[in-house]
Amino acid sequence: MTQPQSTTGGPGRLYGVGLGPGDPSLVTVRAAELIGKADVVAYHSARHGRSIARSIAERYLTDGQIEEQLVYPLTVETTDHPGGYRGAIDEFYEEAAARLAAHLDAGRDVVVLAEGDPLFYGSYQHMHKRLAHRYPTEVVPGVTSVSAAAARLGRALVEAEEVLTILPGTLPEEELAARLASTDSAVIMKLGRTFPAVRRALERAGRLADAQYVERATMDAERTAPLAEVDPDTVPYFSVAVLPSRIGLPAEPAPVAVGAAVEADGADAADGAGSAGRVGEVVVVGLGPAGPLWLTPEARGELAAADDLVGYTTYLDRVPVRAGQRRHGSDNKVESERAEFALDLARQGRRVAVVSSGDPGVFAMATAVLEVACEERYGDVPVRVVPGMTAAHAAASRAGAPLGHDYAVVSLSDRLKPWKVVAERLAAAASADLVLALYNPGSQSRTTQVALARDLLLEHRAPDTPVVMARDVGGPTERVRTVCLADLDPAQVDMRTILLIGSSQTRAVTRGNGTQVVWTPRRYPEV
């Protein structure tokens, strides 16, 4: 066969052409035009020789075209290549690029076919990286399998401020679970042999019930089903798992004020199942000390999955508003009432997230919830605690490593315990030469504790002991500074401040670049 020659004398053009998800009628007009006019049409295939890309484009091919079949030397098999799997694949891509470059140098236009979109997990991108800087290139987008899957399910992927996450199923199972827990919607690609791990990850993230399965979307062998019902042995590579938008699910009832009676849903409320037959639960979620950068993926996922959010209004305001959720804010002095309210909601079958700043188990809402949950009437309501970054650890990170050795955590608040107990614990920790993290040091109604604590600690510590004063760490008004214990000014301390009092070994050092760091050595001197 006579090969087409250039009519311009210059190099040919490279086209990466997206074919869409599988139905040939979903090929774009631009893609069809380029396929029909190309001198060379290239496509990838496995060693069996069949190419899905070519089968989609077949109706658009014309007589006299050169076809370049780029056959992968392996897919998931083992190899004796000295560079292993990656070495074998890279060598294949280099050889394939060289074959296409020969056509381009001869002035022939080359179309590389790609299922879906060329630059979305597509084989074409490996040719693009090797050739696009050398030859005139155009990429023609195609309908992705993600869009096709949503269309075949008839479900929105994302709406309003929801976040869509695209994940390869080849990620480690723990990484998948963390990412699935922290997003609103998701699509997981590359199933096949990865399906069992993907299913487990969805289950660990609490998202399995929402997951949908789509196989060969828009093709003749298309299949859709709830993912939990799919036999792992039947799953091919060309399938995806979809977590659709949460918006548009059954409408939420109006919010109820904390402290108001929560009506039981008939007899179901007594056994922890709501009108939908679902067992409710309470999850106490730590928000960390400030904004979203301090929130763990697990906590983010629990907040997104909740039917109801319950908490101190200031902390509740840190959680993004989501359609379908009820929010129940209250004052910061009604912890027991808040816990009871959350447990009553859970008895109706609601999934309730009780929000707490920092870590919920450190001077926060976990204890309040568990205290009430241990009452007989709530004995069957599941309660979980999801940890968060503590204020002490956040403050320590800003200063350096003041908690690098043994330390004690003490609340200076005497609202729930006598000051005599606070003073005894401070003295015991100080005499043991522990670093101290002091929570709740002062408020509008408590103005004497910081001075009392300072004077007590000066009986055990040197006046120049470093004290880290950290206020609103991670927030817009963050301020962290280090002072000597003798210079600690109670007027500079409020409820949003945490104090880290060094031990006899703690050092405050100004480094060569002018920055100051505070650290406590890991080793303690021999006594």
Side-chain angles (χ1 to χ4, degrees):
M1 181 180 70
T2 303
Q3 294 186 340
Q5 300 296 316
S6 170
T7 59
T8 64
R13 294 183 64 86
L14 174 67
Y15 296 94
V17 175
L19 300 173
D23 183 346
S25 65
L26 293 177
V27 172
T28 66
V29 173
R30 176 63 173 163
E33 289 175 348
L34 290 173
I35 294 170
K37 294 190 302 182
D39 301 317
V40 180
V41 177
Y43 47 85
H44 293 79
S45 76
R47 287 187 293 180
H48 52 57
R50 297 183 300 276
S51 169
I52 293 176
R54 189 192 186 284
S55 68
I56 297 170
E58 186 171 12
R59 69 172 65 173
Y60 304 108
L61 298 175
T62 56
D63 293 336
Q65 291 179 310
I66 301 170
E67 294 190 21
E68 285 284 2
Q69 186 175 8
L70 309 176
V71 181
Y72 279 106
L74 72 168
T75 50
V76 298
E77 307 95 323
T78 57
T79 177
D80 57 2
H81 191 284
Y85 175 86
R86 177 47 55 194
I89 289 295
D90 285 343
E91 184 175 287
F92 161 69
Y93 288 140
E94 291 294 336
E95 292 173 352
R99 288 167 59 186
L100 300 186
H103 290 295
L104 293 165
D105 288 338
R108 304 183 192 108
D109 291 342
V110 177
V111 161
V112 181
L113 304 178
E115 300 100 326
D117 183 89
L119 299 179
F120 185 78
Y121 292 121
S123 296
Y124 164 76
Q125 61 191 335
H126 301 288
M127 300 299 97
H128 188 87
K129 288 186 288 188
R130 290 165 171 81
L131 299 172
H133 63 290
R134 297 165 53 189
Y135 303 99
T137 300
E138 178 183 340
V139 177
V140 180
V143 177
T144 67
S145 59
V146 172
S147 298
R152 304 312 286 174
L153 289 171
R155 297 281 301 275
L157 279 175
V158 278
E159 187 175 334
E161 284 76 41
E162 286 185 309
V163 173
L164 172 65
T165 301
I166 309 293
L167 299 165
T170 50
L171 285 177
E173 184 178 325
E174 288 192 356
E175 180 70 13
L176 277 172
R179 290 178 180 268
L180 290 168
S182 64
T183 193
D184 297 310
S185 303
V187 176
I188 308 172
M189 317 282 293
K190 305 182 181 181
L191 296 187
R193 63 190 175 88
T194 70
F195 183 82
V198 169
R199 190 188 190 284
R200 290 193 300 269
L202 284 160
E203 190 166 22
R204 289 177 62 181
R207 308 295 299 275
L208 182 59
D210 301 327
Q212 298 295 313
Y213 172 83
V214 182
E215 176 182 319
R216 297 187 172 94
T218 78
M219 299 182 189
D220 291 339
E222 176 186 303
R223 176 168 63 130
T224 63
L227 187 135
E229 300 175 5
V230 174
D231 179 358
D233 293 333
T234 67
V235 176
Y237 180 82
F238 284 97
S239 55
V240 297
V242 181
L243 287 174
S245 169
R246 301 175 193 263
I247 298 176
L249 298 176
E252 70 275 14
V256 181
V258 174
V262 179
E263 274 192 40
D265 212 2
D268 286 338
D271 62 13
S275 57
R278 181 176 60 174
V279 175
E281 69 170 340
V282 173
V283 184
V284 192
V285 179
L287 301 179
L293 292 178
W294 299 83
L295 195 63
T296 68
E298 182 184 17
R300 194 185 304 274
E302 294 295 347
L303 295 173
D307 300 315
D308 295 78
L309 301 177
V310 175
Y312 173 37
T313 301
T314 298
Y315 300 153
L316 206 56
D317 288 344
R318 285 166 45 184
V319 181
V321 174
R322 286 184 172 86
Q325 284 185 333
R326 298 189 299 181
R327 301 164 72 92
H328 312 276
S330 56
D331 184 74
N332 68 337
K333 296 180 180 178
V334 291
E335 288 92 343
S336 296
E337 293 89 339
R338 189 182 302 143
E340 184 176 348
F341 179 80
L343 290 160
D344 282 336
L345 287 172
R347 290 176 71 202
Q348 293 190 39
R350 308 286 291 178
R351 186 170 180 172
V352 185
V354 177
V355 301
S356 184
S357 183
D359 183 277
V362 180
F363 305 125
M365 278 301 299
T367 297
V369 170
L370 291 171
E371 185 176 348
V372 178
C374 286
E375 296 178 10
E376 185 176 353
R377 58 185 169 146
Y378 297 120
D380 294 333
V381 178
V383 176
R384 293 186 291 117
V385 179
V386 174
M389 168 74 73
T390 70
H393 293 150
S397 72
R398 290 294 201 246
L403 304 182
H405 200 70
D406 299 340
Y407 67 94
V409 179
V410 178
S411 170
L412 292 190
S413 174
D414 56 359
R415 190 167 68 86
L416 299 176
K417 63 180 182 287
W419 175 257
K420 180 176 182 293
V421 172
V422 177
E424 289 172 349
R425 291 176 178 175
L426 287 174
S431 63
D433 201 20
L434 296 173
V435 175
L436 277 158
L438 302 183
Y439 279 67
N440 307 317
S443 66
Q444 290 182 344
S445 61
R446 295 186 298 103
T447 59
T448 61
Q449 282 82 355
V450 174
L452 291 171
R454 178 198 59 202
D455 295 344
L456 187 154
L457 293 172
L458 282 169
E459 296 176 12
H460 303 269
R461 300 282 162 87
D464 62 351
T465 298
V467 176
V468 176
M469 302 174 62
R471 185 184 187 281
D472 190 29
V473 173
T477 61
E478 175 181 315
R479 186 184 185 195
V480 179
R481 55 202 176 104
T482 302
V483 300
C484 295
L485 179 58
D487 298 328
L488 177 58
D489 181 3
Q492 302 298 313
V493 178
D494 63 12
M495 194 64 179
R496 302 183 69 184
T497 305
I498 186 168
L499 302 175
L500 306 179
I501 314 293
S503 71
S504 65
Q505 303 302 304
T506 302
R507 303 287 181 261
V509 178
T510 300
R511 301 177 62 222
N513 60 6
T515 61
Q516 186 184 63
V517 293
V518 180
W519 54 282
T520 302
R522 294 173 297 152
R523 292 181 177 83
Y524 199 83
E526 296 283 346
V527 178

